[in-house]
């Protein structure tokens, strides 16, 4: 039995369709990423799976328990880190951890080995109120609190939002260690670059899952040849490229433009169609698509 | 903060919120200027309830003064008052009362009427040689039980203390659960195996301690500063306060469960607090309310709290005298807290 199983789950808030017939399954020891922009329905799915919210239709089970019938059992066996920092800001680091250990009828000592690597990093600040910690340290504390009762399934809703790059990297390393202990982890993130760190990912937008697969397979499914183009006048170039009949899509990506074409073309072939006099430092190279390219491609089709 | 302010309020309110009428401003229009009229004036000004703010001769001027709020009562003694009195006619004097402030008007005119009638008895016997002893009349002597000196603070301090304890605990709890909802901490708590009643108990117990603490400090302050009587058993009062605070806290938690924001919670809490206070018998006696309102006070925990603290402290009532208050409060405590537990939803 998979750790998390969701079948055709839908949920609306008033007229807004937050989730539209979602299905997915996550195994134990798997790090599953839910990738999508803000408002895609990630948090709604989390709240349904953590028994905070009831779905309108569809079934879901977590750790083998139905989310509606056996919600009490689920609450004992999952760890949840909400998107917003939800620990008691006026309690110290240590008090928060002890509080959550007590609520789950356990002690810090009993499961210390599970959180040791994480907690050691914030231990020097254990007398500090949780509200006075930095973003990265808050996340580590929240993760410690979510793990203190040795959950079988871990839900992390945008754990790295608002956290610096170094802390983000550390955080993902921790998740890797945790999944090796057999914990199923469902993590959501709006950052596409974090997607490649997951075992499998689901791309979600407007309440719908666009695609579910390993990051490699997802990237492979990108249908068109892709080129990165840079010039001293990207904005005008973008407009020019969008008018060409070989262009499938042209999108700005930082300092480059990503151009997808209908058929495979040589770099020179593309240059020949442009008025190169206007773009003295023109640079064009074929590139491999990443998850963001695919995501934008999929959401364009929707 | 949580304890100093209520005690401060207790001191200020008990001194300020008085029903006693002092310094009724009176203007005299003495057209007679006779011995009798002047003696009457002296009698009136001798009383510390009245303050003579003017002796005029023009009624128009006097009414202007009343308009300007410089007079509560205008007493007009007509010309030839003394003459008519001695002749055995029945001269009348006129009392004009400013009824904007009802309390001042009724109580003040009552005092004044009292002075005038006593004085009229006196001069009657003096002028017409009617020996008082020959008249067989009923004389009334009044003794005020439980508060012989009619000390206003003895009556108000226990009431205000009960009111403050209840008010503070309602507001604190009403803000509490909704605050967790606003900050988001409740999201984390809801995904734990914690039981609803455990959560509610966790909210209740700290505020119960705060409430009992305020009660203790308030009683001490009342004893030291206002010398309030403590005729009955303090243990009984504390046992009652314990039950009552639980009832009030349950009510606060109930509000908190239904509110989406702290503003909403505080607004709803104040709505009920105002009704509770005005219908508690603190300022106006419950017995003089319409019947439907009297029935409503039965679900007002504050009314019972004030009644019990007055009865125990001033009257020395024992448990047997307070069974109905205890019963009502216990029912309220159970109803409010069970609804609070029931309405707290861990799931949407």
């Amino acid at each position: 039995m998979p750790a998390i199983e969701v079948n055709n789950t839908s949920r609306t808030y008033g007229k807004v369709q937050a989730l539209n017939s979602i299905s997915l399954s996550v195994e134990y020891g798997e790090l599953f990423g839910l990738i999508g922009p803000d408002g895609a329905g990630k948090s709604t799915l989390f709240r349904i799976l953590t028994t905070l919210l009831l779905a309108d239709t569809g079934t879901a089970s977590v750790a083998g328990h139905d989310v509606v019938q056996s919600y009490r059992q689920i609450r004992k066996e999952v760890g949840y880190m909400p998107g917003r920092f939800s620990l008691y800001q006026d309690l110290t680091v240590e008090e928060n951890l002890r509080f959550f250990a007590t609520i789950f009828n356990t002690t810090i000592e009993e499961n210390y080995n599970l959180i040791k690597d994480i907690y050691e990093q914030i231990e020097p600040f254990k007398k500090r109120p949780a509200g006075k910690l930095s973003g990265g340290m808050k996340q580590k504390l929240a993760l410690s609190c979510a793990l203190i009762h040795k959950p079988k399934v871990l839900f992390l809703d945008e754990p790295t939002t608002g956290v610096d790059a170094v802390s983000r990297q550390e955080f993902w390393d921790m998740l890797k260690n945790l999944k090796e202990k057999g914990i199923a982890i469902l993590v959501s993130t709006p950052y596409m670059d974090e997607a490649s760190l997951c075992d499998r990912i689901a791309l979600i937008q407007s309440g719908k899952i666009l695609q579910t697969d390993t990051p490699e397979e997802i990237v492979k499914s990108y249908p068109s040849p892709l080129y990165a183009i840079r010039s001293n006048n990207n904005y005008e170039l973008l407009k020019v490229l969008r008018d060409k009949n070989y262009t499938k899509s042209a999108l700005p990506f930082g300092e480059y433009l990503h151009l997808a074409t209908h058929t495979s073309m040589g770099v020179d072939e593309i240059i020949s169609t442009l008025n190169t006099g206007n773009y003295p430092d023109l640079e064009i190279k074929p590139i491999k698509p990443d998850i963001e390219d695919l995501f934008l491609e999929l959401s364009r089709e929707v | 903060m949580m304890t100093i302010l209520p005690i401060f309020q207790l001191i200020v309110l008990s001194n300020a919120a008085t029903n006693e009428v002092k310094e009724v401003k009176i203007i005299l229009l003495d057209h007679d200027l006779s011995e009798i009229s002047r003696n009457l004036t002296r009698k009136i000004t001798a009383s510390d309830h009245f303050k003579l703010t003017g002796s005029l001769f023009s009624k128009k001027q006097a009414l202007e003064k009343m308009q300007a709020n410089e007079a509560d009562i205008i007493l007009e003694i007509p010309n030839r008052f003394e003459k008519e009195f001695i002749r055995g006619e029945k001269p009348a004097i006129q009392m004009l009362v400013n009824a904007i402030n009802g309390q001042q008007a009724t109580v003040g005119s009552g005092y004044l009427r009292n002075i005038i009638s006593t004085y009229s008895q006196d001069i009657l016997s003096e002028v017409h040689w009617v020996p008082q002893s020959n008249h067989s009349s009923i004389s009334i002597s009044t003794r005020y039980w439980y508060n012989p000196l009619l000390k206003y603070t003895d009556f108000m301090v226990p009431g205000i203390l009960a009111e403050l304890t209840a008010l503070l605990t309602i507001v604190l709890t009403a803000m509490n659960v909704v605050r967790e909802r606003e900050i988001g901490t409740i999201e984390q708590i809801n995904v734990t195996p914690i039981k609803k009643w455990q959560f509610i108990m966790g909210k209740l117990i700290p505020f119960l301690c705060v409430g009992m603490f305020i009660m203790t400090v308030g009683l001490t302050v009342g004893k030291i500063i206002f010398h309030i009587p403590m005729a009955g058993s303090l243990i009984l009062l504390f046992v009652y306060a314990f039950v009552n605070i639980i009832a009030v806290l349950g009510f606060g938690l109930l509000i908190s469960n239904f509110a989406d924001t702290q503003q909403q919670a505080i607004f709803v809490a104040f709505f009920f607090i105002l009704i509770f206070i005005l219908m508690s018998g603190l300022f106006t006696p419950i017995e003089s309310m319409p019947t439907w309102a009297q029935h409503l006070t039965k679900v007002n925990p504050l009314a019972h709290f004030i009644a019990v603290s007055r009865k125990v402290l001033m009257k020395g009532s024992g448990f047997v005298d307070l069974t109905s208050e205890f019963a009502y409060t216990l029912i309220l405590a159970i109803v409010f807290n069970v609804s609070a537990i029931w309405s707290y939803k861990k799931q949407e």
Side-chain angles (χ1 to χ4, degrees):
Chain A
M1 187 129 193
I4 303 172
E5 183 142 44
V6 183
N7 293 313
N8 302 318
T9 293
S10 299
R11 164 82 197 198
T12 51
Y13 293 109
K15 280 181 181 169
V16 181
Q17 180 95 31
L19 286 183
N20 190 352
S21 197
I22 294 267
S23 298
L24 57 85
S25 93
V26 181
E27 298 297 327
Y28 288 105
E30 186 178 32
L31 179 55
F32 192 97
L34 210 52
I35 319 291
D38 293 339
K42 303 189 296 286
S43 295
T44 306
L45 182 59
F46 272 95
R47 301 193 72 221
I48 288 173
L49 293 175
T50 51
T51 75
L52 290 175
L53 193 69
L54 291 172
D56 297 335
T57 56
T59 56
S61 72
V62 174
H65 309 289
D66 185 86
V67 289
V68 182
Q69 266 113 51
S70 336
Y71 65 92
R72 283 172 203 277
Q73 202 54 39
I74 292 179
R75 285 176 186 165
K76 285 183 197 156
E77 294 178 16
V78 304
Y80 174 42
M81 212 175 123
R84 195 154 55 128
F85 183 68
S86 303
L87 301 179
Y88 289 95
Q89 313 238 1
D90 41 1
L91 294 187
T92 65
V93 169
E94 203 181 9
E95 284 165 344
N96 263 303
L97 195 60
R98 179 152 299 133
F99 175 71
F100 281 98
T102 314
I103 286 191
F104 282 102
N105 227 341
T106 178
T107 56
I108 298 178
E109 292 72 28
E110 202 171 314
N111 295 315
Y112 189 72
N113 62 331
L114 192 61
I115 60 162
K116 186 169 171 282
D117 298 340
I118 306 159
Y119 189 62
E120 268 176 353
Q121 301 177 38
I122 48 173
E123 209 165 10
F125 312 101
K126 65 181 181 183
K127 298 283 176 215
R128 193 182 286 191
K132 299 235 161 76
L133 294 175
S134 73
M137 285 198 280
K138 274 183 182 165
Q139 297 310 87
K140 282 168 197 160
L141 176 60
L143 186 59
S144 303
C145 288
L147 285 170
I148 193 64
H149 58 291
K150 211 174 173 186
K152 292 179 183 163
V153 184
L154 192 58
F155 293 98
L156 308 169
D157 192 1
E158 301 200 5
T160 52
T161 300
V163 175
D164 68 85
V166 177
S167 297
R168 269 169 64 184
Q169 189 53 50
E170 281 177 7
F171 197 86
W172 281 92
D173 290 343
M174 286 175 214
L175 296 189
K176 255 181 212 163
N177 290 333
L178 287 173
K179 77 168 188 192
E180 272 151 26
K181 290 175 177 148
I183 300 175
I185 305 173
L186 181 64
V187 58
S188 74
T189 176
Y191 302 123
M192 305 288 167
D193 57 328
E194 288 182 346
S196 55
L197 303 169
C198 300
D199 295 332
R200 278 196 306 146
I201 53 175
L203 300 178
I204 178 169
Q205 194 186 34
S206 310
K208 270 191 171 153
I209 288 187
L210 306 175
Q211 201 170 357
T212 309
D213 217 326
T214 61
E216 297 76 30
E217 288 303 315
I218 286 227
V219 170
K220 271 187 205 157
S221 72
Y222 191 81
S224 327
L226 195 69
Y227 306 89
I229 304 178
R230 187 169 67 168
S231 77
N232 59 346
N233 192 350
N234 273 353
Y235 179 65
E236 205 197 299
L237 183 59
L238 185 66
K239 283 198 289 187
V240 170
L241 284 171
R242 278 185 176 165
D243 286 338
K244 302 288 182 197
N245 50 15
Y246 56 78
T247 301
K248 190 176 176 194
S249 74
L251 296 161
F253 268 72
E255 54 177 338
Y256 284 92
L257 303 175
H258 283 194
L259 171 73
T261 55
H262 291 292
T263 52
S264 189
M265 294 165 78
V267 171
D268 296 335
E269 216 176 322
I270 297 172
I271 291 176
S272 65
T273 67
L274 299 171
N275 185 355
T276 43
N278 291 347
Y279 316 106
D281 326 314
L282 190 68
E283 180 194 336
I284 300 185
K285 56 185 181 190
I287 51 163
K288 278 188 176 170
D290 62 15
I291 289 161
E292 199 164 353
D293 291 305
L294 182 83
F295 186 84
L296 291 170
E297 170 65 23
L298 288 173
S299 52
R300 206 173 57 95
E301 283 169 12
V302 172
Chain B
M1 264 310 248
M2 262 170 5
T3 50
I4 294 172
L5 281 183
I7 298 308
F8 182 71
Q9 270 189 49
L10 177 71
I11 296 171
V12 172
L13 280 183
S14 303
N15 276 317
T18 158
N19 260 332
E20 255 176 289
V21 173
K22 277 183 197 156
E23 301 223 324
V24 177
K25 285 172 274 184
I26 186 163
I27 284 186
L28 223 61
L29 280 176
D30 188 354
H31 300 298
D32 195 35
L33 290 175
S34 62
E35 197 191 330
I36 290 183
S37 76
R38 239 168 297 165
N39 272 338
L40 180 60
T41 314
R42 217 168 295 136
K43 290 253 181 203
I44 292 168
T45 48
S47 152
D48 61 356
H49 294 300
F50 294 102
K51 189 180 161 201
L52 192 67
T53 49
S55 294
L56 305 169
F57 297 99
S58 138
K59 194 162 178 179
K60 189 163 164 269
Q61 260 184 326
L63 284 172
E64 273 167 15
K65 286 268 189 191
M66 189 179 274
Q67 188 80 26
N69 232 349
E70 284 165 39
D72 296 312
I73 295 179
I74 299 170
L75 188 70
E76 189 176 15
I77 303 170
N79 203 355
R80 302 190 317 170
F81 176 78
E82 192 180 54
K83 253 180 224 165
E84 284 177 20
F85 188 83
I86 293 172
R87 229 184 272 154
E89 290 170 33
K90 286 191 171 164
I93 54 181
Q94 191 186 33
M95 201 195 292
L96 297 169
V97 185
N98 177 359
I100 290 276
N101 180 344
Q103 184 101 15
Q104 200 90 339
T106 41
V107 179
S109 65
Y111 286 155
L112 194 55
R113 195 167 293 131
N114 221 339
I115 293 175
I116 295 170
S117 71
T118 318
Y119 180 61
S120 102
Q121 287 289 329
D122 288 351
I123 51 173
L124 211 61
S125 51
E126 241 173 71
V127 177
H128 296 291
W129 294 282
V130 184
Q132 266 173 329
S133 52
N134 278 6
H135 265 314
S136 56
S137 66
I138 302 169
S139 83
I140 302 165
S141 74
T142 314
R143 287 196 60 195
Y144 298 99
W145 276 98
Y146 314 126
N147 191 358
L149 299 175
L150 280 182
K151 263 176 71 189
Y152 194 70
T153 48
D154 284 3
F155 176 69
M156 284 312 276
V157 170
I160 291 179
L161 181 60
E163 178 234 307
L164 286 176
T165 313
L167 185 142
L168 191 82
T169 41
I170 285 190
V171 173
L172 287 179
T173 44
M175 303 283 281
N176 198 278
V177 180
V178 68
R179 190 181 127 86
E180 292 224 16
R181 197 170 299 141
E182 273 191 6
I183 300 178
T185 47
I186 206 158
E187 187 99 346
Q188 189 93 62
I189 288 288
N190 284 348
V191 189
T192 65
I194 192 168
K195 300 264 190 332
K196 284 177 173 190
W197 65 267
Q198 291 170 326
F199 180 80
I200 294 291
M201 286 290 274
K203 294 288 162 203
L204 207 118
I205 292 167
F207 293 117
L208 184 60
C209 296
V210 171
M212 295 304 275
F213 178 71
I214 290 174
M215 185 79 190
T216 315
V217 177
L219 276 176
T220 316
V221 169
K223 183 77 197 168
I224 294 171
I225 298 185
F226 298 107
H227 311 289
I228 52 167
M230 291 184 175
S233 148
L234 281 183
I235 295 173
L236 182 66
L237 183 60
F238 273 100
V239 170
Y240 178 78
F242 185 84
V243 181
N244 192 287
I245 293 173
I246 290 179
V248 170
L249 289 173
F251 187 73
L253 288 172
L254 196 57
I255 294 177
S256 208
N257 280 341
F258 282 102
D260 291 324
T261 61
Q262 293 194 55
Q263 281 101 319
Q264 231 178 52
I266 202 95
F267 177 79
V268 176
F270 265 108
F271 173 80
F272 281 106
I273 285 170
L274 272 184
I275 294 179
F276 281 172
I277 291 180
L278 291 178
M279 293 186 70
S280 66
L282 180 61
F283 300 111
T284 45
I286 290 175
E287 289 74 18
S288 56
M289 293 176 189
T291 330
W292 61 267
Q294 290 195 29
H295 286 303
L296 267 185
T297 60
K298 284 178 188 156
V299 294
N300 179 353
L302 197 49
H304 299 302
F305 202 167
I306 290 174
V308 168
S309 65
R310 280 177 181 165
K311 280 184 186 170
V312 171
L313 291 175
M314 296 168 72
K315 206 171 168 183
S317 299
F319 179 73
V320 183
D321 311 303
L322 304 171
T323 38
S324 84
E325 279 90 351
F326 262 98
Y328 277 121
T329 314
L330 203 60
I331 292 171
L332 289 176
I334 293 169
V335 169
F336 287 151
N337 283 290
V338 168
S339 341
I341 293 172
W342 170 78
S343 64
Y344 164 55
K345 292 254 185 313
K346 287 178 83 173
Q347 198 169 45
E348 282 168 46

